[in-house]
Each structure stands twice: as C-alpha cells, then as structure tokens.
C-alpha cells in the first residue's frame, strides 16, 4: 500500500509516494538519498539515526514515514548552512569528537536537540542526556567536551 | 623539519564526517537497485530438509530467493593470510544443506525494495532435521584438539623446565580466569553493494582489507583479480570483524552477476552476532611459582577456547605470558573445542586482551600474597630482553610508563589494604595493570603524485576505520614534500591503489607509513631531476644535493630566495603530475631486535558497600608506541581502546541459549557496550620516542594496545575496593554480592 506524504526536509518540501511500512530512516536514506543519517540497529537502540522532527530529536528508525506527514525534518545535511559548518560541527572537529564517524551525524543532531531541552546546565547533564547515542569507537570524552564547549558558550551568552 | 609528523592537526576526513557527506558502503545508491536481506538459520545443528519460500515470493516486489537449491557453485578461494586472501570461515555459503550454527546463512531474499525484502524474509519457512548442538566448551573437553602452531610458531611453548621450577618455588598460586564471548559491534553494520557490468565487478564494502576482499571475491567467482574492485572509502568501525571476508560479500557479488542489476546486501544488527565473527570465550588456568621476594620462576598458561566446525581460529591468550615478563620456566598450552556457534575471529588485541586480563590479575593476587607493591612486582619481573627470543628490545619504555602513570595517578597515596580507602560512604579502589601489544608490520606500498596546482595526492590501498590513516598519510607526505597538509589529499579504501595490508594487528602506520614516506621522497626526487634538466629552471644543472623543498617551492639550501614552485616546474615541462611509488618490506632475515609496545593503566573505582554498584571514576593510561604521527587522533584512538576495555571489564558478554544455541542478546539493548554516562575522565599520555629499528618513521601501532590491561586494572581496583576477586568477566554487581 502506498501513501502520499509531504515532508519538509531541511527546509525543502518533499512530496513522496511511500510504502506504509517505510520508516522515516529508510525513506530518507533509500528514497531521498539523504544518507548522512545512519542505520546502526534499526530498533531504537543506538541513536545513529537521530533526526529532528518538528525540532525534537527522534530515532528515525522508530518513526514510520507516513507518521511524519506534514512535519519538518532536520537531518545532518541540514545542519550546516551555505557551506559553513555549524559551531557544533566545528567543535566536534576541533575536539576530535569522532573516529570512524558513523555515529557522528546522530551525535551532532542529537546534541542540537539536547541543547534545546530543559536539562540542568552542567557537564553531567551532557553525559546523561547524550547517553542514547552509542559510539563504539569510544569518542565519548571528546564528544562530551565538544558539546560542553557549545553548551557553556550558550549559557554565557544567555547570562551576559 | 619534522613539524608535520606528530602535529595534532584535525582529522583529514573530519569535515566529511561531521556534515554527513562521508559515504559508507550502505550509502551508495544506484539506479535499478535490488535489495538483499539474508535468511539465517534458527537451528544450531542439523540439516535443511526443505525451504518453503512460496509465501515469501508472493510479496509484491520480491524477485527471487537464493538458497542452496539454486545458488551456483563458488570456487574455493585460498584461505591463507600470507597471500592476502583470507575468508572468515572456510565454508562457502549456500552450497550444502548442513547447519553448523544458529545464524548461519540459508538464503538471501532479493527484492525491489527494502521493505518487501524484509517482510519476505520473515515468511520463508525452513524445515530442518535438528540435532542437539554442542555449545559448552568445558563439557566437551574430551573433543578438544591442541593446535600445533600459531602464526607459524610451534605450540605448545615450552621454555626451561616448568615442573622443576614450580616444585621448587617458595610461593605457589593457581587460579582460573574466564572471559565470555564478545562481539565487536561496530556502529556500522556490514553492507555490500555489488555492481556488475558484464565484465567488471565493483563492490562497495565495509572492510578492513580491500586487497583481501578483492582476492577472495575474484577467486571464489573465478574472475581475474584485475576485474574486481573493492571500494571502502569509509568504514564505520571494524575492530576485527571486517578484517577477513565473510559470506555476505560473496552473496551480493553472485546476486549482482545473476540478476544483472546492482545488489545491496545489508546486514542488520542481529546478523552481526553470528555471521561476522566474535571473540571466543576463554577459560585460562594460570599456575605460578615465585620466590618470597616476588621473582616469578615458573608459569603455566593453559587456555581452553573454542572455534566453529567451519573455521579455524585460536584466541592466543598465552602470548601475554610468553612475551611480557622474564619468566625463565614457562609452558603455554591450548585446547580448542569445536562448538555449534559462529566462527570466531580477531577482535581488538586478540589474545593479549584476554590473556592480560588473566596474567595481570594473577600478578595482582601475588602482590597481595607477598605484600609487595604491584608496580614493584612488575619491575622485579621486568624482561631486559624479549623473553621468548632473547633478542634485545628495539626500544622498551615500560618502566617509564609505570613511573609516569603512577605519578599522574597519585599511586603513592594508595593504602594497599583492600577496603581501606573511602570516598564518602563508598569504597574506593585503585588498581593497575600493564598493557602490551607486539609490534607487527607487513609489506606495504603507496604512491605520491605532485600536481601542477601545487598540491599532492597520496594513494594506498589501505583503510581508515576511524584510525586516522587519511590524516597521517598526508602528514607524512607533507613532511617530506614540505607542503602544508591542507595541500595534500589522501586516497585510500580502493583496491586499485598500490597494495597494502589488512588494517589489523595495529600495523597500518608501521606498514603504510614508511611506504608513503619513500614514495614522497621518490616523487620529490623526480621533481628535482626535472628541474635540473630544465634549461628554463633556476636550478638547471645544479647538484640535487644543493636543493630542497620548502613550503611548496624548490629552493637552494644556501639561498632560499631562489625558489620555484612545484607547479611552475611541472607546467613548464608539460607534466600533468610527477609521481613516486614505493613498496616497502620489513627486513626480516636479520632479526636483531624484538619489537613490542608497552603501557601502564591505572583505574579508580567506587563501589557501594551495600548495593555493590561499581562506578568507574577515572583512568590513566600511558603508552609507549614509538613515534606518534598525530597526537590528537592518537589520543582518541588510545582512549577508544581503553573504553572498549571498560566494556570488556564491566559490561560485555554474549549470551547463548543453551538449548537452541541462539544468541539471546543479539541487539544493542541487551548486549551492553559503554555509553557516555559510563565513561569517566580518561587521561592518556604517550612516551613518544621513535622506535629506532622498526621502520624509517619509528612508529609502532596503537589500535590495540589501549584495550590491553584495562580489564585487569579495573578488576584489580574492584578487589582493592572490596576484597573480592572477580576472575570471570564481565564484573557485574551480582558477582560482588
Ligand atoms: S538505527 Fe535507529 S536507533 Fe539505531
Ligand atoms: S566515531 Fe565510530 S562509532 Fe562513534
């Protein structure tokens, strides 16, 4: 069974005719060819597939694409603008918050979602709030410092 | 000179990775693509009687289902590590009806969409004649065999006279240490996209060995090797399970050739628990004799481990006892039991990680028995030369590692009595262990091209699984060509580039690095030769010895103001590029030195005295791995190794159902790997002294050493906190109750 669905992906309207069984992850990767979003487990256990759905982070492997009809989706491809890295991407780069890079798109998009959630303003909150994104290379300490740099600079900007 | 090698520059492929532009195998898409989803056996031992795919074939979009009934013959590819053609298991897929383990390939669904393929896979009914599987090694010891050799070295290892030294020893200790099956679980599941044009086969793979994959695929399909090309630009982690060639790669290739369309075979997470290897369980009995002063005179390391019925593998745990300390009387013995489980394979520091858990725990036990500080005990047994070969170390800085680590950690403030140190109402435990990994290298080659736009490119059929190869290759070329690294592009993960070894055994830097260096030197030499033959050049008829490269220019050593850019020289001579290619082989025949990396790890744990929850609080790791090529990526890699060691110590264990032989926890919720909240502050430092004899760069490898010793350091810290010795990994709280 196919359904016609409209997704607003990275600011662009996408009218798609989708298999009812297609997950948002598979639709992004196999139909829209936005392969920056990764599949690590396909069952909501690793965070590699994290995207923002109406601004909130979700595991896109757990969302049926038809359920995202009419919603906005931000993937890693939509994080940088006009070829300029987002400060968080730059921070991952300079802190070496990645090795193989496979979990990285999920980590960055998840961190973007995290920074908009009402967590305590502490490094410990980063540790907990980011624990849904697994990294087998063990880039955690560097990922944590990359996010912490952005988190504390937002906090400073807000208090000044 | 010498300022690009070692510099902590950002990862060369970092921008592609943080923007999602890096293409991993499954990211390749082609017109007219077919999706392939494997069908795996749920039975662990028996025979397939019938595969009923009638319901599956009714699903719209399903094209065909490959099973042993309709799969053409594969030709046995050579399985020989030395000739760069090694399969993960000897058996070729879909060729017969026998089932050797749960999770074995029984077929592949080919369909127009992923959704149809996945649904159809669930509808395939397999009728089997089941037999009781053999699943436990301890209960099947009578069936064990003793391997005769390990990588060409005869087994068992007998040094001196263990029996005599043990009977005369003042102190005797015997303990059994066990480690479970562990799975690599890289975040990227394996994928293989095969494109066949009627003559050439191109595979987009996730592999640690593009050359090996090409050779196996070509041989198994009887294609000339030059007609097969493997692309693996980005690999989402491997840790060993993408080293050898596993059946899915052959199945995608065959399907593409049969269907005459591109085929994408995707493994799902559960497939990674049976079809691409694992670290086998070990049961290690260590028997030790020592003097009261702590000098170990006798050691026996007896390892029981397992392999499958369709592959040979030995987890060489005894290597730790063989290569680290000065044990004058030693026996290293193995027994291997065949089980109805998938075929094991290398997993990060195979042998050393399991073996050092046992050995370094045992030394800790001895230190308490003798009331000697654990570091002092290790120094008492320090090997001045390689204990097995008697060769001098090319460079060994174990003592410095111990000393620096102890200082950083604050070891002198440790009260050795178990349970004596507290933090609030929690018990504080401090433990340490030695890390070790032999220095390996293989023949490697590379090509360097200087281009007219004052840039250069470096090519090698090597791999970067997050290990930093893209980055270090360009740093080495930058150093020789005196070009800033941003002017150099690295190309790898393509079997058509100059051949390089498997990315395993921590040997990529030591094997490919010197080849890049030599190739860059040759390219530069060609540039100089071109300039001095060029009438229009400032350097016409100069002696090459008077010239040098400097920041993209060729200059006079004595007068740097006389300069020509590389590009000017090429353009004037109408050269699209100037290249150098090098093949570097380790000089083996005159074995004068022993090469080994060492390190020391220190762990602090907090254990709740009532709930027995274990919290890792901080770790320090000091490593001697020769010259560091990039301090930033090296640090990340060492930390990553230690984190995998933390997983091994506290979380990881693959559980098999003892009736069916199926993996119970074949997913990332039940197979626990460390998450960010589990990871404490980790302080890593390198000795960073070049190995004077290993290769021209002085670099050994560091992919594996980080995981060695971690589990023992944590186990020793847990003992120090609680007085309870856990000899069975992982250390979970119920074991402390
Ligand atoms: S792929 Fe979605 S959480 Fe793992
Ligand atoms: S960088 Fe490899 S899994 Fe995170």
């Amino acid at each position: 069974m196919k359904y016609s669905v409209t997704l607003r992906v990275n600011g662009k309207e996408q009218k798609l005719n989708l298999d009812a069984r297609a997950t948002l992850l598979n639709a992004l990767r196999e139909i829209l060819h936005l392969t920056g979003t990764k599949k690590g487990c396909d069952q909501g256990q690793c965070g590699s597939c994290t995207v923002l759905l109406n601004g909130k982070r979700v595991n896109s492997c757990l969302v049926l694409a038809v359920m995202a009809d009419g919603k906005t989706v931000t993937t890693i491809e939509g994080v940088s603008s006009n070829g300029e890295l987002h400060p968080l991407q730059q921070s991952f780069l300079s802190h070496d918050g990645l090795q193989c890079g496979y979990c990285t798109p999920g980590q960055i998009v998840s961190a973007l979602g995290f920074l908009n959630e009402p967590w305590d303003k502490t490094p410990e909150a980063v540790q907990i709030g980011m624990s849904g994104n697994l990294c087998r290379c063990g880039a955690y300490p560097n990922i944590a410092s990359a996010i912490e740099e952005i988190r504390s600079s937002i906090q400073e900007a807000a208090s000044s | 000179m010498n300022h690009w090698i070692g510099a902590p520059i950002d990862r060369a492929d970092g921008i592609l990775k943080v923007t999602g532009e890096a293409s991993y195998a499954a990211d390749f898409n082609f017109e007219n693509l077919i999706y392939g989803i494997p069908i795996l056996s749920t039975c662990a031992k028996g025979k397939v009687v019938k595969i009923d795919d009638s319901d599956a074939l009714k699903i719209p979009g399903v094209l065909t289902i490959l099973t042993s009934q309709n799969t053409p013959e594969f030709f046995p590819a050579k399985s020989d590590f030395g000739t760069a053609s090694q399969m993960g298991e000897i058996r070729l897929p879909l060729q017969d009806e026998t089932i050797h383990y749960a999770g074995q390939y029984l077929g592949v669904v080919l369909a127009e969409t992923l959704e149809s393929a996945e649904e159809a896979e669930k509808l395939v009914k397999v009728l089997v004649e089941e037999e009781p599987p053999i699943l436990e090694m301890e209960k099947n010891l009578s069936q064990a065999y003793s391997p005769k050799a390990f990588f060409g070295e005869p087994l068992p290892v007998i040094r001196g006279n263990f029996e005599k030294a043990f009977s005369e020893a003042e102190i005797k200790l015997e303990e059994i240490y066990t480690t479970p099956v562990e799975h690599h679980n890289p975040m990227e599941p394996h994928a293989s996209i095969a494109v066949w044009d009627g003559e050439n086969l191109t595979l987009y793979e996730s592999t640690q060995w593009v050359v090996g994959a090409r050779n196996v695929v070509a041989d198994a399909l009887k294609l000339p090797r030059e007609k097969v090309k493997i692309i693996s630009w980005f690999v989402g982690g491997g840790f060993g399970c993408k080293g050898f060639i596993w059946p899915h790669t052959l199945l995608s290739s065959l399907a593409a050739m049969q269907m005459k369309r591109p085929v994408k075979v995707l493994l799902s997470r559960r497939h990674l628990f049976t079809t691409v290897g694992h670290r086998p369980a070990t049961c290690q009995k260590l028997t030790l004799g020592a003097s009261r002063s702590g000098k170990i005179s006798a050691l026996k390391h007896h390892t029981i481990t397992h392999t499958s019925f369709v592959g040979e593998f030995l987890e060489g745990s005894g290597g730790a006892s063989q290569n680290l300390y000065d044990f004058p009387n030693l026996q290293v013995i193995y027994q291997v039991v065949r089980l109805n489980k998938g075929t094991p394979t290398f997993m990060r520091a195979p042998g050393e990680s399991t073996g050092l858990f046992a050995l370094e725990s045992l030394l800790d036990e001895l230190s308490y028995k003798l009331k000697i500080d654990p570091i002092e005990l290790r120094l008492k047994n320090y090997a001045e030369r390689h204990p097995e070969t008697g060769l001098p170390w090319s460079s060994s800085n174990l003592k410095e590692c111990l000393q620096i680590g102890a200082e950083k950690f604050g070891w002198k403030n440790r009260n050795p009595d178990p349970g004596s140190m507290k933090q609030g109402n929690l018990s504080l435990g401090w433990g340490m262990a030695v890390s070790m990994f032999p220095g390996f290298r293989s023949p490697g080659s590379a090509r360097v091209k200087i281009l007219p736009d004052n840039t250069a490119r470096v090519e090698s059929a090597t791999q970067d699984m997050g290990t930093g190869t893209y980055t270090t290759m360009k740093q080495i070329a930058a150093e020789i060509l005196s070009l800033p690294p941003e002017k150099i592009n690295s190309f790898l993960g393509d079997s058509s580039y100059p051949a390089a070894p498997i990315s395993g055994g921590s040997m990529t830097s030591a094997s490919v690095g010197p080849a890049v260096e030599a190739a860059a030197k040759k390219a530069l030499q060609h540039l100089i030769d071109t300039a001095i033959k060029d009438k229009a050049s400032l350097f016409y008829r100069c002696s090459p010895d008077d010239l040098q490269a400097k920041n993209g220019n060729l200059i006079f050593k004595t007068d740097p103001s006389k300069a020509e850019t590389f590009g000017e020289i090429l353009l004037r001579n109408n050269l699209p590029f100037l290249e150098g290619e090098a093949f570097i082989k380790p000089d083996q025949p005159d074995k004068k030195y022993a090469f080994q990396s060492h390190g020391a790890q220190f762990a602090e744990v907090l254990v709740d005295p009532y709930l027995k929850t274990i919290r890792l609080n901080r770790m320090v790791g000091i490593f001697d791995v020769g010259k560091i090529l990039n301090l930033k990526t090296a640090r990340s890699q060492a930390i990553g190794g230690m984190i995998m060691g933390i997983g091994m110590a506290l979380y990881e264990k693959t559980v098999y159902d003892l009736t069916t032989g199926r993996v119970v926890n074949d997913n990332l919720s039940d197979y626990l790997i460390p998450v960010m909240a589990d990871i404490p502050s980790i302080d890593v430092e390198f000795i960073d002294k070049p190995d004077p004899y290993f290769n021209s760069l002085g670099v050994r490898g560091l992919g594996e050493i980080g995981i060695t010793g971690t589990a023992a350091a944590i186990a020793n810290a847990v003992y120090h906190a609680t007085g309870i010795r856990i000899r069975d990994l992982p250390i979970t709280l119920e074991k402390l109750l």
Side-chain angles (χ1 to χ4, degrees):
Chain A
M1 193 63 184
K2 295 243 176 185
Y3 290 87
S4 90
V5 172
T6 307
L7 305 177
R8 206 176 167 77
V9 184
N10 301 331
K12 217 170 120 192
E13 194 139 300
Q14 301 278 4
K15 286 201 189 311
L16 300 169
N17 203 19
L18 289 178
D19 191 316
R21 299 166 297 185
T23 60
L24 178 57
L25 174 60
N26 285 349
L28 290 169
R29 289 183 50 82
E30 305 299 328
I31 304 201
L32 292 173
H33 294 175
L34 289 169
T35 53
T37 307
K38 302 299 181 210
K39 185 186 284 185
C41 67
D42 216 14
Q43 47 193 168
Q45 300 172 338
C46 75
S48 303
C49 64
T50 310
V51 300
L52 300 181
L53 191 61
N54 281 354
K56 296 220 159 64
R57 51 181 176 159
V58 295
N59 289 328
S60 61
C61 68
L62 293 186
V63 178
L64 288 172
V66 290
M67 292 160 64
D69 191 17
K71 298 190 176 162
T72 67
V73 181
T74 306
T75 71
I76 188 69
E77 288 90 348
V79 172
S80 50
S81 54
N82 308 325
E84 284 259 328
L85 293 184
H86 184 282
L88 195 57
Q89 290 173 311
Q90 183 55 51
S91 187
F92 266 69
L93 196 58
S94 28
H95 288 271
D96 205 31
L98 60 141
Q99 291 178 45
C100 79
Y102 196 78
C103 72
T104 312
Q107 301 278 2
I108 291 174
V109 174
S110 185
L112 282 175
F114 167 84
L115 292 169
N116 278 323
E117 291 166 14
W119 289 87
D120 284 354
K121 305 279 174 251
T122 60
E124 292 71 38
V126 173
Q127 291 262 324
I128 295 164
M130 287 301 296
S131 277
N133 288 82
L134 304 183
C135 174
R136 187 57 157 164
C137 297
Y140 296 130
N142 296 353
I143 297 172
S145 41
I147 299 171
E148 179 53 21
E149 183 187 314
I150 304 299
R151 191 201 62 77
S152 55
S153 72
I154 296 173
Q155 196 178 343
E156 254 164 54
S159 61
S160 67
Chain B
M1 285 295 268
N2 224 33
H3 74 298
W4 290 122
I5 291 182
I9 63 168
D10 288 349
R11 212 169 270 276
D13 47 350
I15 292 186
L16 291 178
K17 286 175 173 174
V18 299
T19 53
E21 278 168 45
S23 291
Y24 301 79
D27 298 345
F28 287 88
N29 280 302
F30 296 93
E31 292 271 315
N32 222 6
L33 189 68
I34 294 174
Y35 290 88
I37 294 291
I39 304 163
L40 303 187
S41 169
T42 52
C43 152
K45 185 171 193 237
K47 257 192 172 25
V48 177
V49 178
K50 190 178 165 207
I51 296 185
D52 175 3
D53 55 9
S54 50
D55 287 346
L57 286 168
K58 282 186 206 133
I59 299 292
V62 173
L63 298 165
T64 187
I65 295 176
L66 294 178
T67 66
S68 61
Q69 293 304 305
N70 59 0
T71 300
E73 192 186 355
F74 286 112
F75 299 92
K78 233 195 241 146
S79 230
D80 170 8
F81 196 40
T83 61
S85 173
Q86 174 87 35
M87 290 188 296
E89 64 185 33
I90 298 156
R91 177 174 180 270
L92 291 158
L94 311 192
Q95 304 285 297
D96 61 64
E97 319 297 333
T98 315
I99 299 172
H100 301 278
Y101 54 88
Q104 170 185 313
Y105 287 92
L106 298 182
V108 184
V109 179
L110 298 175
E112 298 283 357
T113 67
L114 197 46
E115 288 74 27
S116 301
E118 284 176 344
E119 184 167 352
E121 182 263 330
K122 295 190 186 85
L123 297 175
V124 176
K125 294 192 226 30
V126 183
L127 190 66
V128 293
E129 212 165 81
E130 284 193 61
E131 289 170 50
I134 300 168
L135 297 168
E136 288 167 280
M137 58 184 190
E138 287 87 349
K139 287 196 183 150
N140 292 282
L141 267 187
S142 59
Q143 307 294 315
Y145 67 92
S146 302
K148 295 277 164 296
F150 186 52
F151 280 98
E153 307 283 335
L155 288 176
V157 176
I158 310 278
R159 182 191 303 161
N161 186 338
F162 167 81
E163 305 295 348
K164 180 163 178 287
F166 182 68
S167 68
E168 290 166 1
E170 294 168 332
I171 304 290
K172 292 176 187 174
L173 215 53
E174 180 168 274
E175 297 296 349
I176 292 175
Y177 301 87
T178 50
T179 63
V181 170
E182 293 163 14
H183 275 87
H184 312 70
N185 275 314
M187 291 319 299
E188 179 204 23
H190 303 54
S192 176
I193 292 91
V195 183
W196 169 246
D197 70 2
E199 196 182 338
N200 300 287
L201 181 67
T202 307
L203 281 165
Y204 299 83
E205 277 286 315
S206 182
T207 179
Q208 293 171 237
W209 199 15
V210 289
V211 172
R214 178 199 57 203
N215 294 350
V216 167
V217 170
D219 296 358
L221 294 164
K222 272 228 167 113
L223 292 170
R225 286 185 175 180
E226 61 283 4
K227 299 283 181 201
V228 179
K229 178 164 156 153
I230 310 289
I231 303 280
S232 194
W233 293 337
F234 293 96
V235 182
F239 317 112
C241 69
K242 294 172 181 170
F244 296 158
I245 313 321
W246 298 96
H248 62 273
T249 303
L250 297 181
L251 293 172
S252 65
S253 306
L254 183 89
M257 291 169 76
Q258 286 220 314
M259 306 297 288
K260 303 195 169 41
R261 287 171 61 181
V263 172
K264 188 187 243 192
V265 171
L266 299 170
L267 301 200
S268 63
R269 181 56 54 185
R270 77 192 149 92
H271 297 149
L272 267 66
F273 282 83
T274 61
T275 65
V276 293
H278 55 262
R279 193 199 295 285
T282 67
C283 172
Q284 306 172 54
K285 191 204 268 180
L286 273 67
T287 312
L288 170 151
S291 70
R292 262 184 247 293
S293 68
K295 178 75 191 84
I296 297 166
S297 55
L299 191 105
K300 177 150 82 176
H301 195 141
H302 178 172
T303 305
I304 302 168
T305 179
H306 56 97
T307 188
S308 75
F309 285 92
V310 288
E312 301 299 321
F313 183 78
L314 178 64
E315 174 77 12
S317 306
S321 294
Q322 203 179 336
N323 299 327
L324 180 51
Y325 294 111
D326 177 28
F327 297 151
N329 302 290
L330 173 82
Q331 281 185 17
V332 174
I333 302 170
Y334 294 96
Q335 282 181 288
V336 184
V337 184
R338 289 193 192 278
L339 298 180
N340 291 111
K341 295 180 179 175
T343 307
T345 197
F346 297 136
M347 178 164 162
R348 207 171 198 166
E352 280 73 18
S353 51
T354 47
L356 279 174
F357 164 63
L359 180 64
E360 288 294 287
S361 294
L362 182 75
L363 260 65
D364 200 61
E365 302 203 39
L366 182 64
S367 78
Y368 284 97
K369 190 155 183 166
L370 299 176
K371 298 204 177 348
I372 296 179
D373 180 81
I375 296 179
E376 199 192 320
L377 180 65
R378 277 140 180 109
L379 293 174
K380 282 205 162 139
N381 292 284
Y382 176 77
E384 295 291 344
R385 295 174 152 251
H386 189 279
E388 185 63 26
T389 60
L391 294 172
W393 300 115
S394 61
S395 119
S396 164
N397 298 293
L398 174 58
K399 291 179 181 167
E400 289 81 344
C401 292
L402 287 164
Q403 184 215 330
I404 296 171
E407 245 161 63
K408 281 199 148 211
F409 190 79
W411 186 257
K412 66 173 189 316
N413 301 322
R414 176 178 183 263
N415 179 340
D417 292 336
S420 62
M421 291 172 72
K422 298 269 180 249
Q423 192 175 97
N425 54 2
L426 302 175
S427 304
L428 188 67
W430 286 4
M432 60 77 57
V434 166
S435 299
M436 177 274 273
F437 197 79
F440 294 126
R441 60 180 288 217
S442 282
S445 45
R447 187 186 296 135
V448 171
K449 288 185 177 175
I450 301 173
L451 302 173
D453 60 355
N454 292 312
T455 66
R457 60 183 277 155
V458 194
E459 301 168 347
S460 175
T462 182
Q463 300 75 214
D464 186 333
M465 310 91 69
T467 40
T469 322
Y470 275 113
T471 318
T472 51
M473 269 174 47
K474 70 152 87 174
Q475 285 179 274
I476 296 165
E479 184 81 35
I480 303 301
L481 300 177
S482 185
L483 268 182
E486 58 271 20
K487 295 269 186 197
I488 299 178
N489 289 306
S490 300
F491 294 85
L492 51 77
D494 179 331
S495 60
S496 59
Y497 294 142
I502 184 171
S503 287
S506 297
M507 66 184 173
T508 298
S509 290
S511 308
V512 177
V516 172
E517 183 189 35
K521 282 185 177 159
K522 279 191 189 168
L524 183 59
Q525 196 54 53
H526 287 158
L527 184 82
I528 291 174
D529 291 346
T530 307
I532 61 185
K533 281 188 209 133
D534 174 3
K535 285 192 181 133
S537 169
L538 287 176
F539 310 116
Y540 181 56
R541 290 196 164 160
C542 288
S543 157
D545 297 340
D546 295 339
L547 306 182
Q548 80 176 73
K550 188 87 207 252
N551 284 332
N553 295 295
L554 210 54
I555 58 166
F556 271 114
K557 283 183 187 161
T558 48
D559 180 1
S561 69
K562 292 222 171 76
E564 275 178 10
T565 66
F566 295 176
E568 282 173 70
I569 300 169
L570 267 81
L571 287 172
R572 216 170 32 229
N573 290 278
N574 276 326
L575 294 169
F577 58 83
L578 269 170
E579 72 175 14
E581 190 171 328
F583 170 72
I584 302 285
K585 241 166 95 173
D587 5 287
Q588 279 299 340
D590 56 329
K591 274 198 157 185
K592 288 199 206 108
Y593 297 95
F595 306 109
Q596 194 157 285
S597 292
H598 296 103
Q601 297 199 26
F602 295 78
E604 174 176 295
V605 298
L606 290 168
V607 180
D608 185 296
Y610 303 107
L611 302 174
K612 304 293 182 191
T613 47
I614 307 160
R615 173 90 207 150
L616 192 60
N617 213 29
R618 64 190 175 105
M619 286 200 76
V620 171
I622 315 292
F623 302 103
D624 167 31
V625 291
K627 174 79 193 152
I628 295 296
L629 295 178
N630 179 323
L631 191 55
K632 189 181 243 183
T633 58
R635 187 180 158 271
S636 298
Q637 203 177 5
I639 290 177
M642 290 171 73
I643 291 178
M644 202 173 264
I646 293 169
M648 179 180 180
L650 298 174
Y651 309 113
E652 295 184 38
K653 175 182 184 158
T654 303
V655 180
Y656 290 83
D657 180 281
L658 289 182
T659 316
T660 61
R662 285 179 224 157
V663 177
V664 176
N665 57 342
D666 58 356
N667 63 75
L668 292 173
S669 282
D670 297 320
Y671 183 97
L672 302 183
I673 64 170
V675 304
M676 197 188 273
D678 297 321
I679 298 308
S681 108
I682 299 181
D683 190 355
V684 159
E685 198 174 302
F686 299 106
I687 301 293
D688 200 3
K689 283 188 195 150
D691 185 312
Y693 305 111
F694 195 38
N695 54 54
S696 55
L697 294 168
V699 55
R700 291 192 300 264
L702 64 89
E704 289 164 279
I705 191 164
I707 193 179
T708 69
T710 316
I714 294 172
N716 297 343
V718 168
Y719 177 78
H720 182 235
T722 62
I724 303 172
R725 177 67 61 181
I726 305 298
R727 302 188 185 91
D728 174 48
L729 292 181
I731 306 168
T732 43
L733 67 93
E734 77 278 7
K735 294 180 186 170
L736 294 176
L737 288 171

